[in-house]
């Protein structure tokens, strides 16, 4: 079976469409919503409206670039969850009507599972079982991946996601949303040891990022009292130190998971895996610990339909189709 599938992603603030044919992702069209920049976070209602504007042009472009006619499609895939309800509804309604109109199966995809399966778009591919640190704006998880569609969350955050910690800290620094990439940029010119922030003490393989967020708030407030230009004069070192602390927490638990399970196939996924500091430290840790490390290509780190298409391919092979009456699941689990 070598299906041709159109996949749609609309869980948060990127509207994306991709075509997969014979297991090969042919393209990955992404329309990013800049409307949220001035609000310090994604505004759900604005996201839904932007998805409505973007979805037809993005799907048209994906079909046109891949030189695929709608009648050649074997299935339509969409992100079922987790994500923002209104945003998910735009993608799922569109996918449902297209599948019904073409009389072909519908495939509902878990967004977090798709971030992990982005590793199967290109070579090298991890072998099973592997561990995946999934780090995004909404999630921070360590996942034991036993097969393409057989995954178990073995550690996760009890409060904020690490992407949220990046973005909320960036907001305190007066940087626009999303602040993660900007912290990364300034951090690359700073000293990660300039300031220290406390690690959280979470049991097992779980994380907590609310403590460092509060510590960061007090740190800025105290220093701004002494010097009103503290942020401006020390931005690179502040970003580097914050980033260093966040990465240290992630890496500590990842190493613990690897030791506990004796697994040396290690992957990262999700928007924060675009972070250059995280990528560098992971490469160093691979050498130290004899790990085979898998880091996705940049375009497949943040939200994209290529990963939804890849997951849909595996689900199609197992005939895991969705009823046409399906609805999105904003809190979808594996
Ligand atoms: O996976 P993603 O695109 O969307 C969600 O599913 O949440 O992840 C978005 C998150 C945001 O918090 C963004 O700030 C963060 O990924 N991010 C980064 C970088 N690029 C994106 N965080 C740190 N460094 C980066 N280079
Ligand atoms: Zn995501």
């Amino acid at each position: 079976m070598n299906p041709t599938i159109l996949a749609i992603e609309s869980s948060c603030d990127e509207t994306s469409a991709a075509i997969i044919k014979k297991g090969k992702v042919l393209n990955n069209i992404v329309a990013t919503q800049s409307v949220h920049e001035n609000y310090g976070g994604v505004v759900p209602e604005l996201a839904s409206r932007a998805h409505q504007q973007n979805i037809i042009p993005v799907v048209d472009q994906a079909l046109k670039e891949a030189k695929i006619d709608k009648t050649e499609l074997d299935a339509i895939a969409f992100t079922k969850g987790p994500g923002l309800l209104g945003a998910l509804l735009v993608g799922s309604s569109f996918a449902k009507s297209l599948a019904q109109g073409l009389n072909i199966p519908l495939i509902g995809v878990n967004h977090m599972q798709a971030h992990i399966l982005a590793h199967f778009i290109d070579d090298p591919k991890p072998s099973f079982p592997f561990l995946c640190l999934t780090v995004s704006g909404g999630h921070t998880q360590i996942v034991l991946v036993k097969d393409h569609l057989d995954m178990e969350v073995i550690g996760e955050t009890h409060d904020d996601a690490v992407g949220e910690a990046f973005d909320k800290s960036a907001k305190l620094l007066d940087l626009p949303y999303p602040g993660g990439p900007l912290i990364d940029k300034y951090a690359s010119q700073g000293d990660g040891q300039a300031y220290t922030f406390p690690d959280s003490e979470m049991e097992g393989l779980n994380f907590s990022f609310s403590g460092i967020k509060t510590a960061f708030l007090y740190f800025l407030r105290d220093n701004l009292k002494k010097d009103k230009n503290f942020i401006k004069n020390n931005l690179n070192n502040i970003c580097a130190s914050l980033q260093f602390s966040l990465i240290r927490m992630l890496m500590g638990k990842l190493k613990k998971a690897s030791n506990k399970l004796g697994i040396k196939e290690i992957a990262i996924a999700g928007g924060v895996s675009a972070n250059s500091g995280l990528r560098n430290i992971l490469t160093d840790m691979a050498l130290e610990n004899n790990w085979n490390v898998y880091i996705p290509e940049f375009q497949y780190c943040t939200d994209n339909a290529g990963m939804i298409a890849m997951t849909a391919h595996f689900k199609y092979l197992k005939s895991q189709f969705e009823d046409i009456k399906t609805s999105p699941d904003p809190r979808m689990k594996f």
Side-chain angles (χ1 to χ4, degrees), residues 100-111:
Q100 201 162 26
L102 295 168
N103 198 22
I104 54 177
L106 187 64
I107 302 175
V109 170
N110 180 305
H111 180 87

Side-chain angles (χ1 to χ4, degrees), residues 298-309:
F298 199 78
Q299 64 165 322
Y300 298 127
C301 287
T302 44
D303 291 347
N304 67 89
M307 66 186 196
I308 305 299

Side-chain angles (χ1 to χ4, degrees), residues 141-317:
Q141 300 177 327
I142 299 179
V143 181
L144 169 60
V145 187
K146 299 173 216 170
D147 205 344
H148 295 119
L149 301 173
D150 185 5
M151 305 180 181
E152 185 188 338
V153 177
I154 57 170
E156 63 189 329
T157 180
H158 280 199
D159 40 57
D160 290 352
V162 66
E164 220 175 331
F166 268 103
D167 296 337
K168 286 182 179 166
S169 304
K171 195 173 173 189
L172 296 175
L173 295 170
D174 255 342
L175 299 173
Y177 177 86
L182 291 167
I183 293 196
D184 187 4
K185 183 179 130 199
Y186 294 117
S188 66
Q189 291 150 50
D191 172 9
Q193 319 282 339
Y195 311 106
T196 44
F197 303 105
D199 270 9
S200 66
E201 295 293 329
M202 283 305 285
E203 84 289 355
L205 298 172
N206 294 320
F207 301 94
S208 164
F209 294 101
S210 61
I212 190 167
K213 192 181 64 185
T214 313
F216 190 66
L217 174 74
Y218 290 146
F219 161 81
L220 290 180
R221 198 190 57 185
D222 293 347
N223 279 289
L224 283 168
K225 262 189 215 153
K226 289 181 233 155
D227 169 13
K228 67 176 175 18
N229 292 320
F230 176 72
I231 293 178
K232 205 168 114 210
N233 293 339
N234 301 284
L235 188 59
N236 293 345
N237 282 350
I238 296 171
C239 289
S241 303
L242 175 76
Q243 179 170 297
F244 179 82
S245 298
L246 292 172
I247 294 175
R248 189 181 51 204
M249 287 191 222
L250 293 172
M251 290 300 118
K253 295 289 171 136
L254 187 58
K255 187 165 175 183
K256 197 168 172 181
S258 163
N259 290 344
K260 188 173 165 199
L261 297 169
I263 294 177
K264 289 181 181 288
E265 291 278 298
I266 308 286
I268 52 168
V272 181
S273 61
N275 184 271
S276 53
L278 179 62
R279 287 169 170 246
N280 291 340
I281 290 181
L282 204 58
T283 312
D284 293 346
M285 286 183 71
L287 285 174
E288 261 168 47
N289 298 288
N290 248 334
W291 287 353
N292 294 321
V293 163
Y294 301 87
I295 302 176
E297 197 191 304
F298 199 78
Q299 64 165 322
Y300 298 127
C301 287
T302 44
D303 291 347
N304 67 89
M307 66 186 196
I308 305 299
M310 195 68 245
T311 310
H313 174 80
F314 294 122
K315 293 193 87 167
Y316 189 98
L317 298 187

Side-chain angles (χ1 to χ4, degrees), residues 20 23-25 113-128 130 145 147-149 151 267 296 300 306-307 310-311 313-314:
I20 188 164
K24 182 115 201 69
V25 174
Q113 200 167 40
H115 267 303
I116 296 173
L117 293 177
H119 284 284
F120 292 85
I121 296 176
D122 289 319
D123 287 329
K125 300 176 172 70
S127 45
F128 301 114
F130 67 90
V145 187
D147 205 344
H148 295 119
L149 301 173
M151 305 180 181
Y300 298 127
M307 66 186 196
M310 195 68 245
T311 310
H313 174 80
F314 294 122

